[in-house]
């Protein structure tokens, strides 16, 4: 909703604002959405909360202990969100001799791939085949357009669980979840150089992948942590109602 707020008509905004007044608490996955809500809504700021989202982490796959440099990196990019910046990723990776890129998406426009032989688009009908494929990849890239709702968050967490180093656009408030010791944030102008750095010094990025798995557990960025955070908010609302 907030990503589209500026495009809404005056009437639509008034309808949303009147509905929001009836809500006890507004939760967001991104600090950017939360900050904008505090600016736009006539609503107590104490009732606007960021609740960090997480996926199950009960099964972590081991990070490679070492890497024997290959001719090219096997790169995977996963996602169906409208805020995936496939065009920029294809522009950087297309024809790059040290890259083989696989995009896993059901929503990408296949025409943007053009005639690049080192890029393919795939989909999977079952989780087993998907997991087996991703585990063979060397690097995960999450390319993003500007957004306010932490687009790409699930793809990042999945890649960390699979033990794969992650490069991600610094968009959507994701840096509120992760730091550069666990995820490598980039802007589009630097992506080609960063990919070359990963290829030349892959073991450094493997250490980041290991740090990232430890980080998810330490910071409770998982499904259980997400449930706990929602539960605490619910309890606080009930306590206020009793008082």
């Amino acid at each position: 909703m907030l990503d589209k707020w500026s495009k809404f008509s005056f009437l639509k905004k008034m309808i949303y604002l009147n509905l929001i007044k009836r809500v006890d608490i507004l939760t967001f996955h991104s600090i950017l959405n939360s900050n904008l809500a505090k600016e736009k809504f006539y609503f107590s700021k104490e009732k606007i909360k960021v609740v960090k989202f997480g996926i199950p982490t009960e099964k972590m796959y081991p990070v490679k202990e070492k890497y024997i440099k290959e001719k090219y990196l096997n790169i995977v990019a996963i996602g169906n969100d409208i805020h995936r910046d496939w065009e920029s990723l294809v522009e950087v990776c297309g024809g790059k001799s040290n890259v083989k890129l696989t995009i896993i998406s059901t929503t990408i426009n296949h025409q943007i791939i053009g005639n690049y032989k080192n890029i393919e688009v795939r989909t999977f009908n079952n989780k087993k085949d998907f997991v087996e494929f991703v585990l063979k990849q060397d690097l995960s890239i999450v390319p993003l357009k500007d957004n306010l709702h932490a687009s790409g968050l699930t793809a990042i967490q999945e890649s960390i669980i699979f033990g794969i180093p992650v490069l991600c656009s610094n968009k959507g408030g994701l840096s509120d979840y992760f730091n550069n010791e666990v995820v490598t944030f980039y802007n589009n102008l630097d992506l080609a150089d960063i990919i070359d750095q990963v290829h030349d010094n892959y073991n450094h990025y493997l250490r980041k992948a290991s740090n990232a798995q430890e980080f998810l557990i330490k910071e409770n960025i998982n499904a259980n942590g997400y449930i706990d955070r929602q539960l605490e908010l619910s309890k606080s609302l009930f306590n206020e109602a009793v008082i």
Side-chain angles (χ1 to χ4, degrees):
M1 179 182 69
L2 285 176
D3 276 290
K4 299 177 181 178
W5 186 263
S6 62
K7 298 179 182 179
F8 287 163
S9 67
F10 175 80
L11 178 60
K12 198 167 189 177
K13 288 179 180 178
M14 289 302 101
I15 292 172
Y16 275 124
L17 288 172
N18 279 310
L19 289 172
I20 287 168
K21 288 178 183 177
R22 307 177 190 179
V23 175
D24 292 310
I25 194 163
L26 288 172
T27 64
F28 299 94
H29 292 158
S30 169
I31 194 170
L32 299 184
N33 259 336
S34 171
N35 289 340
L36 185 59
K38 291 173 183 177
E39 295 176 13
K40 297 293 184 183
F41 298 158
Y42 305 109
F43 201 70
S44 169
K45 293 184 179 181
E46 288 72 28
K47 297 296 186 180
I48 296 175
K49 303 289 184 182
V50 175
V51 180
K52 288 187 175 181
F53 175 75
I55 65 174
T57 55
E58 287 82 3
K59 181 172 178 56
M60 291 271 199
Y61 294 85
V63 177
K64 295 177 185 177
E65 293 184 3
K66 61 181 179 178
Y67 175 72
I68 300 174
K69 186 175 179 180
E70 301 288 350
K71 182 179 179 181
Y72 54 80
L73 286 170
N74 288 296
I75 299 176
V76 66
I78 305 167
N80 298 313
D81 193 294
I82 61 171
H83 288 102
R84 286 295 191 279
D85 188 2
W86 298 128
E87 292 84 356
S88 294
L89 181 63
V90 168
E91 183 179 351
V92 169
C93 293
K96 201 168 172 59
S97 61
N98 60 350
V99 163
K100 181 178 180 182
L101 171 64
T102 301
I103 296 173
I104 302 176
S105 175
T106 59
T107 59
I108 186 174
N109 177 0
H110 289 238
Q111 291 183 345
I112 69 172
I113 305 303
N115 295 319
Y116 291 124
K117 303 299 184 184
N118 66 325
I119 302 177
E120 67 171 343
V121 177
R122 295 190 61 173
T123 58
F124 291 88
N125 295 321
N126 62 75
K127 184 177 179 180
K128 180 176 179 291
D129 291 343
F130 168 75
V131 171
E132 287 181 354
F133 178 82
V134 175
L135 288 176
K136 295 176 183 177
Q137 305 305 297
D138 302 313
L139 180 68
S140 173
I141 299 183
V142 184
L144 300 168
K145 299 175 182 177
D146 288 332
N147 71 92
L148 301 170
H149 66 273
S151 175
L153 181 56
T154 298
I156 292 174
Q157 293 186 38
E158 283 181 337
S159 299
I160 292 172
I161 289 168
F162 291 140
I164 304 171
V166 182
L167 308 185
C168 180
S169 305
N170 193 5
K171 306 281 180 70
L174 291 171
S175 57
D176 188 48
Y177 280 79
F178 308 104
N179 58 49
N180 268 297
E181 296 300 315
V182 297
V183 170
T184 303
F185 289 105
Y186 70 85
N187 62 58
N188 290 340
L189 294 176
D190 298 332
L191 181 56
D193 289 338
I194 293 174
I195 290 173
D196 290 340
Q197 291 171 20
V198 176
H199 187 252
D200 293 336
N201 190 17
Y202 187 69
N203 287 322
H204 168 72
Y205 291 88
L206 284 180
R207 288 191 289 273
K208 278 195 173 188
S210 182
N211 292 342
Q213 290 191 339
E214 295 174 4
F215 182 86
L216 286 187
I217 296 170
K218 179 182 176 183
E219 299 297 322
N220 213 17
I221 309 240
N222 52 42
N224 288 336
Y226 179 55
I227 293 167
D228 289 343
R229 290 185 280 275
Q230 294 280 16
L231 182 60
E232 285 302 311
L233 281 179
S234 299
K235 286 180 178 178
S236 69
L237 289 175
F238 279 119
N239 289 339
E240 289 178 12
V242 170
I243 294 172

